[in-house]
Amino acid sequence: VSAEAVYEPDVARAQAERLMDVWATPPGWRYWSDVNNTTVGRWYTAAAFLFMIFGGVLALVMRAQLAVPNNDLISADLYNQALTLHGSVMMFLFAVPVFEAFSIMVLPQMLGARDLPFPRLSAYGFWSFVIGGTFVCGSIFFGAAPSAGWFMYPPLSTAYDDGIGPDIWLLGLSFIEIAAIAAAIELIVGVLKCRPPGMRINLIPLYSWYILVVAVMILFAFPPLIAGDVLMELERLLDWPFFDASRGGDPLLWQHLFWIFGHPEVYIIFLPAVALVAMIVPTFAQRPIVGYGWVVLAAVGTGFISFGLWVHHMYATGLPGISLGFFSAASEAVAIPTGVQIFAFIATVLAARRLTMSVPMLFVAGALAIFVLGGLTGVMIALVPFDLQAHDTYFVVAHLHYVLIGGMLFPVAAGLYYFFPLAGGRRLSDTLGKWAFWLMFVGFNVTFLPMHLTGLKGMPRRVFTYPENLGFDLLNLLSSAGAFVLAGGIAILLWDVVRPKGQSPFAERNPWRAGTLEWLAEMPSQPWGVRSIPIVESRYPLWEQQDFVRDVDDGRFYLPDAEEGARETLVTTAIDADPIQCLRVATPTFMPLLAAMFTGGVFIFATFHWWWPALASGVAALTMILMWLWTGTAVIPEKPVKDVGRGLSLPLYLSGRSSVGWWAMFITMMADMTAFVSLVFGYLFYWTVNAEFPPAGAALLDSTWTLAAAAAVGGAWLATVAARRWNRQSKNARVYAALGIGAALAAAGVATTLGMLGEAGLDPTAHVHPATVSVLAWWVAVHVGAGILMQAYCAARLMARRMSAQNDIDISNVTLFWHFVAIEAGVTLGLLTLFAVGD
Amino acid sequence: VTRPASLAAGALSTLWLCGCGGVQSALAPAGTQAAAIVQLTWWLFGGAALIWCAVMALAVFAVRSRRAAAPSTADRPGRRTVGDAVRRHETRHARRLIVGGGVVFPVVTLTVLLVFGLRMTPPLLAADGDVIVDVTGERWWWRVSYARPDGPAVDAANEVRLPVGRRATFRLEAADVIHSFWIPSLGGKIDMIPGRTNFLTVEPTATGVYRGVCAEFCGLSHALMAFDVVVMAPDDFDAWLRRQSEDAVAPATSVAETGQELFRDNGCGACHRIRGTEAVGVIGPDLTHVGSRLTIGAGTLPRDEASLAAWIELPTTFKPGVEMPSYHMLGAAELAAIAAYLETLE
């Protein structure tokens, strides 16, 4: 078999036409049904920037209010709503999503893939994001926005807020957090499984390393917050006293859960920005990055350490000295990997022969100047004594904006100028770029540099006004003026992006002479992404592989054709990137949009306590998702294998551990497990803060019931495992029997798990102990209930001949789900049997 | 490169003009703890400035030196050239920079800082002061109570008085939501959390009037939750505390007498206590000696007759969301009478 395909222009032209037919963006109103990563990524990025503008306008309103002392431009209530939304919008609707959005758009191109493995999931995540974000932001126009701060500390957000503001925050943002997790799953599987053949894990672009780290962080950081959201919403809705100190609860549990999310969040925002810099600097230095291994190690290290320093947001809560010491040390330690990354970039420039300065590099330089200062003030506030003065003052406002704007907004601007040709086919204006940079840089520093002093001179954060003559009148006026200059710079930047460019010529191909795969794109780029999926042998193939671009363009690599009219991309092994499957991905469909609308309906109706519409919407969402699964996943192909070019034949269907679906299920369940562990953490936390837990005289469970529930769920799990095995042996009758028995046992498990609560007469509103026991039991019941649905789905698939002995993705993934459910049920029921059972 | 430098210099000089002083400034310490922290602050600032300048200088050097280098056609990436050997040598140097600047230097510096910081912390959070003051944060004011070894505790509100040179420990609690107790001139802040008691110890070193504020967002009028801190000579403090422990003085003028009647008839005593009278409410601030305080409304208005009358008439003008109902139905004369009565309660 010849590895070097012969190039025939006519054949290649016909191939390109077929590819174009398959990958073309649908015209007209059906445009909105597209699920391709390029289109969805563009929408997603644009939406994130729109939310940024909204959050920025809120900031300007606040700065206008604070320009002079005792100002009454806006009311205290409106200020507090603006303050809460500014933080929430920038964090949840801009900083995290913009990177997921951008990665959805550009990651496949960096990896020479045609699409991400789950295009409909990306589309679903995008629509959820837009619906949830609009709902949260829109609330301020009705004066109903959350006003308890973006950190939502109870009891301010629970017992002392009767409005729907906190519910909008909890439900609207939970919805978005789920979308964020969906995108994270997509990106992890994308980086690990959809690389070009030969791109071993040590050859992947640094950007994809960072995205991998960040997506894994999202997976472990967001679920604790979702668990906290569940607890808080239960307290608001049903009066279960998780954060009410008078009934055994503790407001500090929320702070722990929030900051276990909130601190990694900072690095979730910061690392992708470093990733952009890691792509930009080598290009303009025209040489590979110095210390690739060090940078990867630093990124992974930052990810790990970031989970160990959440308590530095809680130094002033009166924690014991040993905790303060540990977390202070961890907080200082995170400076080390950060320093490694910064020095790696400087080292790359030093080791270059020649450096081209350009607008992207200008923004990178600005980011460095700002971020390093923010990092240094971070080291200061990681020290407990200094923090006790600086905490919750404008010093921290200054610090966090130096870190986030220097560590995120400036690199994003750099990335915008650098990557814009990929999305728009043209370069942005150098002149406008320089104007934008200098206005932003000067405006930023005029706004935030004085705030360090404002804070130490005694101005607390989150105040809608301040008295005159305390020494910060002038400082505040300066900050307000600077804010408008900064806004002017951002306005020029955005204008440069959206201004009509109809007349100007397209950019030349690879305009920056970069070395990585995304610059294979033609100007303007083609919807298929890459003409043929290349074999990669180096970190910078465009620099280092001979005739690389020509070979790709001629279709000499893999999948140059779309003979069967299906959208296809390659799946490779996680470490060595050996091709193992030709994956068919979804074509345009409105189902994700509809599913997102109905899912949004559940959350939005629930905010207003319209239970029946919420239920109807939930049923509709479930139906839509089941339809999407039924029609579009685990489709049995018309032939088992396909020739993908260069004499390589790959299977079209793969189940079990090498399939993308299995990985996605595994990753999803890791997130689920993290939320579960957060609840268990809550149970144990209450045990440590309450002298008696369970409290004396509390209603307790009966061990017969807990053990019976455990036996039922265990039986259901074993039955599911058996069903998968018999399915492989084509013993269909036994499969139906096992699934039937499994479902019956699972139903019995749900009944006993919930029944034991009633039998014991637990009143969840009485004390935090019955409340926590109930929430854990319900967690298990809901999961087992979902398991029943999945068992029924497998039986139906088998009956409809959409599942067979060889093609068993459905039951294989359902079994994986059940493994996790069995663990969660076992831990819960074991814990309750040990701690919550009466004599 | 000159532009940012001159801008930074301009910004710094502006900041310098603003000074450090003020009654609410952590940079103008009047207590042992605040003084220790401010010393640490200047060291940290100095070190940070040095490191920032060093990193920037390195970056500027890197960029300038490479921009000046002659363009070379032989330097296209991917080609093995004579330059490769040179570059490999440079890369080795560059790697040393990563290890030295990114690992060795921060490990050493941060370890020193950490040890220093950890040694400073315990005294700040100690609970062994000579004077014990209980403060409870409520929306949006402060309930204050001075423990006395030789008698019942003395209740007050929205003002803290301390003797100079003696260690004072605050026992901090919250009645509703989380607040944070902060007197920048004296020391750090500690949160007040429902269900918990936290401790903060300070030792004032100079007499004078300072200002404390709530530092944790506590809802609508969080911005308007402050208090005065008066540091007095120890003898003055003892005398003051003795006076505070006494019942309120009876009204001496007819206006004040009318004011007391109006206070009673309008039900003010349901929320406020004036010891020695029928007013025994405990929902709002204790007013027994309100006439001796510097401000009213938790640091919102100066304490004088006009402010008192205006506050009673419509408190929400000054503090949105305040729990006290408005008494706008009272005439100006009646409001003035109540204000005059309260003024006499020294």
Side-chain angles (χ1 to χ4, degrees):
Chain A
V1 177
S2 139
E4 194 68 29
V6 186
Y7 175 65
E8 291 169 42
D10 293 343
V11 173
R13 209 164 17 248
Q15 288 176 339
E17 271 167 28
R18 279 194 291 272
L19 269 180
M20 183 61 99
D21 280 349
V22 170
W23 288 95
T25 309
W29 62 278
R30 290 191 52 87
Y31 173 67
W32 300 104
S33 71
D34 201 8
V35 295
N36 180 235
N37 75 292
T38 318
T39 319
V40 173
R42 254 180 233 174
W43 297 340
Y44 216 145
T45 312
F49 272 101
L50 286 177
F51 285 125
M52 183 210 72
I53 295 173
F54 178 76
V57 169
L58 291 177
L60 290 181
V61 170
M62 288 192 286
R63 268 333 308 175
Q65 162 72 9
L66 293 177
V68 289
N70 298 319
N71 199 0
D72 59 356
L73 180 73
I74 59 171
S75 70
D77 184 37
L78 186 59
Y79 185 92
N80 292 342
Q81 292 185 28
L83 150 92
T84 306
L85 278 190
H86 171 72
S88 306
V89 166
M90 289 304 196
M91 290 299 212
F92 292 103
L93 301 182
F94 175 59
V96 175
V98 79
F99 279 114
E100 294 191 320
F102 181 70
S103 302
I104 286 173
M105 182 163 68
V106 87
L107 187 73
Q109 283 185 308
M110 280 185 186
L111 300 178
R114 290 253 163 75
D115 206 330
L116 286 165
F118 313 108
R120 285 168 303 181
L121 187 64
S122 307
Y124 176 74
F126 163 73
W127 290 113
S128 298
F129 167 69
V130 168
I131 293 166
T134 310
F135 175 60
V136 172
C137 293
S139 60
I140 198 169
F141 299 108
F142 302 91
S147 61
W150 87 283
F151 40 90
M152 290 291 280
Y153 280 1
L156 181 61
S157 57
T158 51
Y160 291 86
D161 197 329
D162 302 330
I164 58 165
D167 304 310
I168 290 174
W169 192 94
L170 291 166
L171 296 171
L173 293 181
S174 294
F175 183 37
I176 288 164
E177 285 146 22
I178 292 168
I181 293 176
I185 294 165
E186 174 91 307
L187 294 171
I188 295 174
V189 181
V191 172
L192 289 179
K193 299 292 292 177
C194 297
R195 301 205 301 270
M199 189 190 268
R200 299 168 58 95
I201 198 82
N202 61 338
L203 297 183
I204 68 175
L206 279 175
Y207 187 88
S208 31
W209 262 116
Y210 277 97
I211 288 303
L212 185 62
V213 170
V214 165
V216 171
M217 288 170 70
I218 289 178
L219 216 55
F220 292 108
F222 278 55
L225 178 62
I226 294 176
D229 288 351
V230 168
L231 297 184
M232 190 183 279
E233 193 52 47
L234 284 173
E235 171 154 357
R236 287 185 55 82
L237 201 61
L238 303 173
D239 194 29
W240 293 12
F242 296 108
F243 308 118
D244 178 355
S246 66
R247 287 180 283 169
D250 190 342
L252 277 194
L253 177 65
W254 169 265
Q255 297 195 14
H256 282 292
L257 292 178
F258 186 84
W259 291 117
I260 289 173
F261 146 78
H263 204 82
E265 162 92 344
V266 175
Y267 293 93
I268 287 170
I269 292 168
F270 167 63
L271 288 177
V274 186
L276 290 172
V277 176
M279 298 306 279
I280 294 170
V281 170
T283 294
F284 291 101
Q286 287 288 296
R287 61 149 295 133
I289 189 110
V290 174
Y292 178 93
W294 281 97
V295 174
V296 171
L297 211 60
V300 175
T302 309
F304 269 103
I305 299 174
S306 74
F307 280 89
L309 31 72
W310 78 89
V311 165
H312 74 212
H313 295 266
M314 299 166 65
Y315 282 164
T317 57
L319 293 170
I322 183 85
S323 307
L324 296 180
F326 174 82
F327 285 100
S328 187
S331 306
E332 300 286 12
V334 82
I336 295 165
T338 311
V340 166
Q341 295 167 71
I342 288 172
F343 282 106
F345 300 138
I346 296 180
T348 304
V349 173
L350 272 174
R353 287 303 259 163
R354 186 177 151 69
L355 182 82
T356 322
M357 269 318 262
S358 60
V359 175
M361 281 303 279
L362 204 53
F363 275 104
V364 168
L368 181 77
I370 294 172
F371 178 78
V372 170
L373 189 57
L376 289 165
T377 53
V379 168
M380 296 170 75
I381 50 178
L383 285 178
V384 178
F386 181 76
D387 184 66
L388 291 180
Q389 282 286 27
H391 180 69
D392 270 339
T393 70
Y394 265 83
F395 187 90
V396 176
V397 178
H399 160 72
L400 78 92
H401 284 92
Y402 265 82
V403 172
L404 289 177
I405 292 186
M408 188 267 172
L409 191 63
F410 273 71
V412 163
L416 207 56
Y417 273 86
Y418 180 71
F419 283 113
F420 189 79
L422 285 185
R426 295 174 174 87
R427 279 173 59 172
L428 293 172
S429 153
D430 280 353
T431 317
L432 289 176
K434 282 179 188 157
W435 272 98
F437 171 78
W438 284 110
L439 284 176
M440 282 170 71
F441 188 79
V442 172
F444 170 81
N445 283 297
V446 171
T447 310
F448 292 101
L449 193 62
M451 282 187 191
H452 294 103
L453 194 56
T454 318
L456 290 179
K457 290 184 78 168
M459 181 154 161
R461 295 170 76 173
R462 299 157 185 153
V463 289
F464 70 91
T465 190
Y466 53 93
E468 58 199 335
N469 294 331
L470 283 175
F472 31 73
D473 303 6
L474 184 61
L475 292 169
N476 273 297
L477 187 60
L478 204 60
S479 290
S480 293
F484 284 87
V485 177
L486 172 61
I490 295 174
I492 291 179
L493 180 93
L494 296 176
W495 166 247
D496 197 7
V497 172
V498 299
R499 76 192 157 82
K501 305 178 194 69
Q503 299 301 318
S504 61
F506 287 110
E508 58 180 311
R509 201 169 178 187
N510 193 2
W512 314 107
R513 296 205 296 139
T516 40
L517 286 182
E518 70 274 23
W519 294 103
L520 281 171
E522 291 160 55
M523 300 287 149
S525 61
Q526 301 291 338
W528 58 53
V530 58
R531 178 63 182 80
S532 59
I533 297 178
I535 298 169
V536 169
E537 292 153 358
S538 85
R539 284 178 193 151
Y540 298 90
L542 268 60
W543 288 343
E544 292 162 356
Q545 285 180 238
Q546 289 282 328
D547 299 322
F548 188 72
V549 177
R550 191 207 69 192
D551 289 352
V552 169
D553 282 358
D554 291 352
R556 288 172 201 255
F557 290 115
Y558 297 114
L559 284 179
D561 203 345
E563 303 95 325
E564 295 96 1
R567 291 188 173 187
E568 291 165 333
T569 193
L570 287 186
V571 174
T572 49
T573 54
I575 304 296
D576 292 329
D578 291 330
I580 51 171
Q581 186 195 359
C582 171
L583 178 72
R584 296 213 166 134
V585 294
T587 45
T589 162
F590 278 109
M591 266 188 278
L593 169 58
L594 291 171
M597 277 170 58
F598 290 127
T599 318
V602 178
F603 287 96
I604 292 169
F605 292 134
T607 307
F608 299 100
H609 298 187
W610 297 344
W611 302 120
W612 286 110
L615 186 68
S617 201
V619 171
L622 189 64
T623 314
M624 202 48 71
I625 290 169
L626 283 174
M627 269 172 66
W628 143 11
L629 293 173
W630 187 268
T631 56
T633 56
V635 179
I636 300 178
E638 75 285 355
K639 55 182 177 187
V641 292
K642 166 177 170 134
D643 179 2
V644 295
R646 300 177 77 92
L648 180 67
S649 281
L650 291 178
L652 284 162
Y653 191 106
L654 213 53
S655 73
R657 272 179 219 178
S658 30
S659 78
V660 287
W662 190 93
W663 280 73
M665 177 60 90
F666 183 81
I667 296 167
T668 311
M669 292 317 291
M670 289 304 287
D672 183 81
M673 186 72 100
T674 309
F676 170 72
V677 169
S678 307
L679 293 180
V680 173
F681 169 76
Y683 188 89
L684 299 174
F685 180 84
Y686 291 128
W687 179 61
T688 64
V689 296
N690 282 285
E692 272 192 299
F693 195 76
L700 293 171
L701 302 174
D702 183 339
S703 60
T704 323
W705 285 71
T706 57
L707 295 175
V713 176
W717 167 60
L718 287 175
T720 315
V721 173
R724 183 193 56 177
R725 172 164 300 184
W726 284 324
N727 180 62
R728 287 221 179 119
Q729 299 161 358
S730 297
K731 293 177 179 158
N732 286 7
R734 288 196 194 182
V735 177
Y736 292 127
L739 287 174
I741 293 168
L745 281 171
V750 172
T752 31
T753 305
L754 297 180
M756 72 188 181
L757 303 176
E759 188 270 340
L762 290 188
D763 175 10
T765 62
H767 189 270
V768 77
H769 183 264
T772 329
V773 170
S774 302
V775 85
L776 282 170
W778 272 96
W779 180 271
V780 170
V782 167
H783 279 73
V784 174
I788 298 176
L789 205 62
M790 293 187 193
Q791 289 164 332
Y793 180 82
C794 288
R797 295 284 283 184
L798 188 60
M799 217 173 286
R801 295 181 186 283
R802 286 169 181 267
M803 187 171 94
S804 67
Q806 292 76 37
N807 301 301
D808 65 342
I809 288 180
D810 298 304
I811 198 159
S812 162
N813 291 350
V814 164
T815 311
L816 181 59
F817 172 83
W818 266 98
H819 290 331
F820 279 90
V821 172
I823 296 171
E824 291 180 10
V827 170
T828 303
L829 295 165
L831 191 73
L832 296 185
T833 310
L834 281 177
F835 287 99
V837 156
D839 298 326
Chain B
V1 182
T2 48
R3 259 188 293 183
S6 60
L7 279 168
L12 281 175
S13 55
T14 315
L15 296 185
W16 187 252
L17 285 178
C18 299
C20 304
V23 295
Q24 195 176 314
S25 174
L27 299 175
T32 315
Q33 289 74 12
I37 297 175
V38 90
Q39 199 179 16
L40 175 70
T41 304
W42 295 128
W43 276 103
L44 289 172
F45 267 137
L50 272 179
I51 295 172
W52 189 82
C53 291
V55 175
M56 286 309 114
L58 184 65
V60 168
F61 166 74
V63 170
R64 289 207 143 183
S65 65
R66 299 306 121 166
R67 279 179 82 185
S72 152
T73 45
D75 196 43
R76 279 206 45 209
R79 297 259 172 84
R80 303 255 176 250
T81 64
V82 198
D84 276 4
V86 182
R87 214 181 306 155
R88 263 198 300 280
H89 175 71
E90 285 179 351
T91 307
R92 205 155 47 235
H93 276 295
R95 288 233 172 80
R96 276 190 204 139
L97 178 69
I98 298 177
V99 178
V103 182
V104 179
F105 174 75
V107 166
V108 174
T109 324
L110 295 175
T111 309
V112 172
L113 273 182
L114 188 66
V115 171
F116 207 72
L118 290 183
R119 286 173 54 125
M120 263 182 82
T121 311
L124 305 178
L125 306 175
D128 58 348
D130 310 321
V131 181
I132 305 285
V133 187
D134 289 284
V135 184
T136 305
E138 312 206 5
R139 302 216 297 171
W140 292 276
W141 62 283
W142 314 84
R143 190 185 293 275
V144 183
S145 180
Y146 298 83
R148 285 193 309 166
D150 53 344
V154 178
D155 291 341
N158 295 331
E159 187 177 283
V160 167
R161 296 202 178 211
L162 299 173
V164 71
R166 277 157 69 181
R167 285 165 63 78
T169 292
F170 296 102
R171 286 196 298 223
L172 305 169
E173 293 180 356
D176 36 43
V177 304
I178 301 175
H179 303 275
S180 191
F181 182 85
W182 185 34
I183 309 167
S185 312
L186 299 186
K189 63 181 73 64
I190 287 293
D191 291 351
M192 307 164 119
I193 301 171
R196 288 172 185 253
T197 305
N198 280 335
F199 299 91
L200 179 73
T201 297
V202 298
E203 185 185 336
T205 49
T207 57
V209 178
Y210 308 98
R211 195 164 185 271
V213 286
C214 175
E216 183 61 83
F217 184 67
C218 55
L220 196 57
S221 278
H222 163 59
L224 301 171
M225 186 169 167
F227 58 100
D228 295 295
V229 183
V230 184
V231 176
M232 314 165 84
D235 291 348
D236 295 347
F237 173 78
D238 292 340
W240 172 84
L241 190 58
R242 241 189 334 276
R243 253 195 338 274
Q244 292 280 309
S245 70
E246 288 160 8
D247 286 351
V249 289
T253 65
S254 64
V255 180
E257 222 165 283
T258 316
Q260 186 180 27
E261 282 162 22
L262 285 164
F263 190 90
R264 184 190 61 214
D265 297 345
N266 284 291
C268 305
C271 293
H272 296 288
R273 183 166 61 167
I274 298 177
R275 291 194 300 273
T277 74
E278 299 160 55
V280 291
V282 290
I283 294 170
D286 186 303
L287 298 180
T288 309
H289 296 283
V290 66
S292 69
R293 292 178 201 152
L294 299 174
T295 57
I296 60 165
T300 305
L301 293 173
R303 193 222 74 245
D304 55 40
E305 278 192 36
S307 302
L308 278 165
W311 172 271
I312 296 164
E313 186 184 13
L314 208 57
T316 48
T317 347
F318 307 102
K319 189 176 280 195
V322 65
E323 302 237 358
M324 176 166 162
S326 73
Y327 287 86
H328 55 275
M329 67 296 240
L330 298 180
E334 292 173 307
L335 291 166
I338 298 176
Y341 165 59
L342 294 176
E343 274 288 302
T344 65
L345 300 177
E346 283 186 35

